[in-house]
Amino acid sequence: MSDQATTAAGQPGQLALRISDIPEAVIRIAGNSQDGIQAIGGFLARLAGRSEQDVMTFMTIPSTISGGPSIFQVRIGSEDVLSSGDEADVLLAFYQHSYDEHLNSLKPGGIVVFDSDHVEPREEANGSYHHIPVPISSRTVEAIGGVGRDKGKNVFALGLLAKMFHLNVPKLELLIQERFTGKDPSIAQNALAAFHAGFSFQLDNVVELFRFRDGQQRARKQVVTNGNEALAYGLIAAGVRFGAGYPITPWSDIMETLRRELPKYGGSFMQCEDEIASVSMALGASYAGRVAVTGSSGPGIALKTEAIGWGVMAEMPLVVVNVQRGGPSTGMPTNVEQSDLHIACFGGHGDSPRVVLAPANVEDCFYTAIEAVNIATKYSVPVFILTDQAIATRIEAFDEPDCQAICQELAPDLTPVLDHKPYDLSAPDGVTRHLAPGTRVASGKYPVVTGLEHDEMGHPTGSPKLHTAMTAKRRRKLQALAAELPKPEVFGAIDGEVLLVGWGSSQGPIRESVMRARREGHAYSALHLKYLNPLPNGLDEILARFRHVFVVEMNDAGLYGYGQLAGIFRARFCDPRIAGITKTDGLTWKVREILDRVRDLITLSARNNGHEAPLR
């Protein structure tokens, strides 16, 4: 991580310290979920955002209430940071299991800072890594007393990292004070005492400190937040003023943010008794003229599918957030997976076309929420926002949105109309606007909405001719949307040997894979899809310009060897060059994993075709 160094004089009797200017660093903090390691990572990420640095985080937490081993990895860089990093430069280990299980995550020659009150380092690892023992627990007790030991050692460790990386102490002090705003002042005082104790701890065997290069000058202030918060605030900016849901990991953070924030804007959020009630209540609010939101994760989405079918049939605007996690059933609730694509696109009964959008990063969560609301309104259709646990929980920094320009109000439109057919078969592209009840209709013919098949006024019918026509109307709306969608831009050259196709949180690792491969002389490019149903037009033209097309996703290869999006691609384009690269370990992609899998598949393809495998 270092490439330029200066030497600073030490205190009398001490060795001079080498200070290296670094472009980036990956810091992995390993402990238990009760230790507040997420708080350390959060402080580092927010400091990066306030220092014009780029940042991306990754964390694992246990799914049990009793807690257990947990990590938080943060990658800070002076330039664009696309992933949380394959390997760490520094490991901070609180316990023996933290040390034993994560030592291999360090780069060769990396630094491990460990709590010497709990960790006995391996003698055989001394040659591979630089060990820095610090009695974190006992020194925290000395600083703030025994009562606060378990609550303060994370902030003590933050002080250590602040010293190692030349971090801005006044900004960190401010962040600590902000963290405990509204609580007993003694809590912030103890935290600051622990922080300064860590910062002033004498690192006897440290011969090198680090200093991040200056980040890029930015025109706008940076926002530092996670994907769930960004999505919730995007919904508010879009004009959503009603939501309903039921708690489930990892959707609950969105629900909590909306519950807390919506009343400030004249809205409300209802926690219902279950998923069925929540989606039904949201549909009711949409029927009344407000575009409402509901959400959940895998099992909860399954419960909502019948009511979502009603929304499709009744042509009701609705936003459904699905924060994917490992499945099926209750599966792995705190791990990432992208295995809800099929239920988002096709889940339910009958032919029930709906829109599915997948944000690519934390910033995109904010803007995707606005786009989802506008599509739901324009096409009177349920729209899924298909995000995942990795985006939901990771922290990134991005330019503050221009809220003056993008925030919108969506009050019910009660403008009188001369006549209205809610299911007008002659409407261009099948798109008809939902009319809120109470709107004056001069003709006096008040329409109805229904989940039964219906005629143009909403009256139930069993007519084969009308069912065929209405099914086509509901389908044509999505075909019209597909024609309007922008063709995604290829990352890298527009033609070449390999095209990596991805969606959701895998965007960063895929792009970093392309950059690394191109530096090594390989003609790799990437295509990231935000619009998953309908797919935008023109994708076949992009695919045709590459020799290999690999769809990279976090779900199972399935019975026939294709992940969920790869299967849709195979059905859509009938292109035998499309292959899947999948995994189901509940962890995000590493760049090395992607490149290794591509190399193996190309080698296998060459062997099957009787060619000599290309040297890679």
Side-chain angles (χ1 to χ4, degrees):
M1 60 183 172
S2 62
D3 62 353
Q4 184 178 350
T6 58
T7 302
Q11 297 297 320
Q14 295 177 354
L15 292 175
L17 287 176
R18 172 188 168 93
I19 301 176
S20 298
D21 289 336
I22 55 174
E24 66 165 39
V26 178
I27 303 168
R28 173 172 290 205
I29 306 154
N32 288 334
S33 57
Q34 304 93 328
D35 293 324
I37 61 175
Q38 290 82 12
I40 308 178
F43 283 129
L44 293 174
R46 284 171 173 76
L47 177 66
R50 294 186 182 185
S51 305
E52 298 189 321
Q53 303 280 350
D54 207 357
V55 64
M56 187 176 290
T57 69
F58 167 75
M59 72 174 187
T60 64
I61 56 174
S63 59
T64 53
I65 294 174
S66 57
S70 175
I71 68 161
F72 195 102
Q73 183 161 305
V74 57
R75 184 182 185 185
I76 302 172
S78 303
E79 299 179 354
D80 290 342
V81 171
L82 298 178
S83 73
S84 57
D86 283 9
E87 297 171 312
D89 298 293
V90 174
L91 170 66
L92 173 61
F94 283 112
Y95 303 106
Q96 192 66 45
H97 65 74
S98 314
Y99 176 88
D100 293 338
E101 295 176 13
H102 298 283
L103 192 63
N104 290 337
S105 69
L106 271 176
K107 293 176 181 174
I111 300 169
V112 53
V113 181
F114 60 93
D115 187 346
S116 55
D117 292 325
H118 296 291
V119 177
E120 184 67 32
R122 297 181 203 159
E123 189 172 338
E124 67 273 18
N126 283 328
S128 303
Y129 310 106
H130 182 57
H131 286 72
I132 301 177
V134 180
I136 295 174
S137 296
S138 56
R139 288 306 181 100
T140 304
V141 172
E142 287 181 15
I144 62 175
V147 176
R149 176 184 57 193
D150 293 334
K151 299 294 184 185
K153 64 182 183 182
N154 61 335
V155 188
F156 180 95
L158 179 66
L160 291 173
L161 293 173
K163 186 171 187 176
M164 289 181 62
F165 286 93
H166 253 260
L167 301 181
N168 188 309
V169 170
K171 286 184 178 178
L172 278 172
E173 290 173 335
L174 182 60
L175 284 167
I176 292 170
Q177 290 172 332
E178 289 175 356
R179 165 91 179 193
F180 300 110
T181 298
K183 297 186 178 179
D184 190 311
S186 64
I187 296 176
Q189 291 169 7
N190 280 339
L192 288 171
F195 173 76
H196 287 293
F199 188 79
S200 59
F201 182 79
Q202 186 61 49
L203 297 168
D204 291 329
N205 63 340
V206 171
V207 294
E208 185 176 21
L209 300 179
F210 306 98
R211 181 171 51 207
F212 289 104
R213 292 180 190 166
D214 291 339
Q216 305 171 41
Q217 293 293 318
R218 300 175 189 275
R220 299 185 65 84
K221 181 181 175 183
Q222 286 202 104
V223 175
V224 183
T225 189
N226 64 39
N228 270 354
E229 283 191 343
L231 203 155
Y233 284 107
L235 290 168
I236 294 171
V240 169
R241 294 295 180 266
F242 182 83
Y246 186 76
I248 184 173
T249 301
W251 140 265
S252 298
D253 285 347
I254 296 175
M255 179 174 145
E256 285 301 312
T257 303
L258 291 174
R259 181 193 61 78
R260 184 183 68 244
E261 297 295 329
L262 273 177
K264 300 176 184 176
Y265 300 90
S268 59
F269 190 96
M270 301 294 293
Q271 178 178 324
C272 302
E273 68 270 30
D274 58 28
E275 304 289 359
I276 299 171
S278 61
V279 65
S280 300
M281 191 172 285
L283 281 166
S286 288
Y287 168 68
R290 293 280 193 185
V291 179
V293 63
T294 187
S296 189
S297 189
I301 294 296
L303 289 170
K304 293 178 188 291
T305 54
E306 180 183 355
I308 292 170
W310 185 92
V312 172
M313 176 64 98
E315 301 196 32
M316 203 59 57
L318 177 70
V319 175
V320 183
V321 180
N322 182 357
V323 189
Q324 299 170 94
R325 63 186 201 178
S329 188
T330 42
M332 297 198 298
T334 56
N335 288 83
V336 65
E337 204 163 85
Q338 294 177 313
S339 51
D340 288 351
L341 177 60
H342 281 174
I343 194 173
C345 293
F346 314 117
H349 51 288
D351 295 306
S352 55
R354 75 288 301 271
V355 178
V356 180
L357 310 179
N361 50 50
V362 172
E363 181 179 17
D364 198 29
C365 284
F366 180 85
Y367 294 104
T368 299
I370 299 173
E371 190 169 7
V373 171
N374 291 340
I375 290 174
T377 305
K378 179 176 179 179
Y379 291 91
S380 294
V381 66
V383 178
F384 272 85
I385 301 176
L386 194 58
T387 178
D388 61 52
Q389 187 270 350
I391 298 180
T393 58
R394 81 186 186 203
I395 298 172
E396 294 179 38
F398 59 91
D399 289 347
E400 186 178 62
D402 183 358
C403 292
Q404 291 286 345
I406 61 176
C407 289
Q408 56 191 28
E409 287 292 333
L410 292 177
D413 183 2
L414 301 176
T415 305
V417 296
L418 294 176
D419 200 3
H420 181 64
K421 293 179 180 177
Y423 309 108
D424 187 352
L425 288 170
S426 64
D429 298 319
V431 179
T432 46
R433 182 172 70 91
H434 170 65
L435 208 65
T439 304
R440 177 175 173 79
V441 180
S443 67
K445 298 176 182 177
Y446 284 90
V448 294
V449 294
T450 174
L452 286 167
E453 192 54 280
H454 42 256
D455 63 16
E456 292 178 297
M457 294 300 291
H459 301 137
T461 179
S463 162
K465 182 178 179 181
L466 274 174
H467 180 57
T468 300
M470 287 295 173
T471 300
K473 175 185 186 300
R474 295 187 283 267
R475 180 226 309 144
R476 289 205 312 276
K477 293 194 296 183
L478 267 64
Q479 291 172 321
L481 172 61
E484 288 187 355
L485 295 176
K487 189 190 299 184
E489 294 184 3
V490 175
F491 180 78
I494 60 171
D495 54 19
E497 184 182 10
V498 168
L499 180 69
L500 299 177
V501 179
W503 59 285
S505 63
S506 60
Q507 184 195 53
I510 289 176
R511 290 191 170 188
E512 197 168 334
S513 300
V514 168
M515 293 166 65
R516 188 179 299 181
R518 296 188 78 83
R519 284 197 299 270
E520 296 170 356
H522 305 303
Y524 286 19
S525 298
L527 185 72
H528 205 77
L529 295 179
K530 178 176 185 174
Y531 308 101
L532 300 175
N533 196 52
L535 293 170
N537 295 335
L539 292 179
D540 49 344
E541 300 167 8
I542 297 175
L543 304 186
R545 295 197 288 264
F546 291 86
R547 183 178 178 188
H548 300 280
V549 177
F550 299 116
V551 182
V552 182
E553 49 191 330
M554 292 178 282
N555 50 49
D556 186 51
L559 295 179
Y560 307 109
Y562 309 110
Q564 296 194 8
L565 181 61
I568 292 173
F569 258 50
R570 295 278 295 199
R572 169 69 181 84
F573 301 110
C574 300
D575 188 337
R577 295 171 306 131
I578 298 172
I581 293 179
T582 65
K583 72 169 190 171
T584 55
D585 59 4
L587 302 173
T588 53
W589 282 106
K590 291 182 177 179
V591 173
R592 184 181 63 249
E593 287 178 314
I594 296 172
L595 293 176
D596 287 348
R597 296 284 295 278
V598 170
R599 178 199 60 211
D600 292 345
L601 286 172
I602 290 178
T603 301
L604 179 63
S605 174
R607 188 179 303 143
N608 290 340
N609 290 312
H611 303 305
E612 185 178 347
L615 182 64
R616 312 206 69 76

